[in-house]
Amino acid sequence: VGSEAAAPARHQAQPDGATASWADRVFQLFKEAGKPMFQKQAMERYEQMGLPKPDDRKELYRQISGAMSYLAKRKKTLVKTDEGYRLA
């Protein structure tokens, strides 16, 4: 068994919407926005970008919120401020 089979995911410069992880797509969303956003604003922007999404808006909100939490707490690439989350 080769060791290259399970390479860790990394943020891509331009993630392909269909194959990128939620964290990758949300990270790209913040890069393109260039301003702080809360979850609802991020969800609205995500929908405007035409990226792949579940049919249920509640599920979309949960996915985006979860990705934002992951990026802030685990990856430390987002920071929460009074104006919303922003890139670190």
Side-chain angles (χ1 to χ4, degrees):
V1 177
S3 62
E4 65 226 326
R10 293 205 171 100
H11 295 297
Q12 303 169 356
Q14 293 291 330
D16 179 351
T19 59
S21 71
W22 279 101
D24 288 333
R25 292 190 298 251
V26 170
F27 181 79
Q28 187 65 31
L29 181 141
F30 275 88
K31 275 180 67 174
E32 292 179 13
K35 64 178 184 177
M37 292 183 287
F38 286 108
Q39 288 88 338
K40 186 174 179 185
Q41 295 164 310
M43 182 181 76
E44 290 167 356
R45 185 166 180 87
Y46 187 95
E47 289 177 312
Q48 291 170 356
M49 292 173 73
L51 294 169
K53 62 182 183 184
D55 293 333
D56 183 7
R57 285 192 91 220
K58 290 178 186 177
E59 181 61 23
L60 175 60
Y61 181 90
R62 281 192 288 271
Q63 292 290 346
I64 290 174
S65 183
M68 288 170 66
S69 178
Y70 170 76
L71 291 170
K73 295 177 181 176
R74 300 283 177 129
K75 297 303 248 179
K76 309 281 189 223
T77 55
L78 290 182
V79 177
K80 187 175 182 180
T81 68
D82 290 342
E83 294 84 34
Y85 288 83
R86 65 168 176 79
L87 292 176

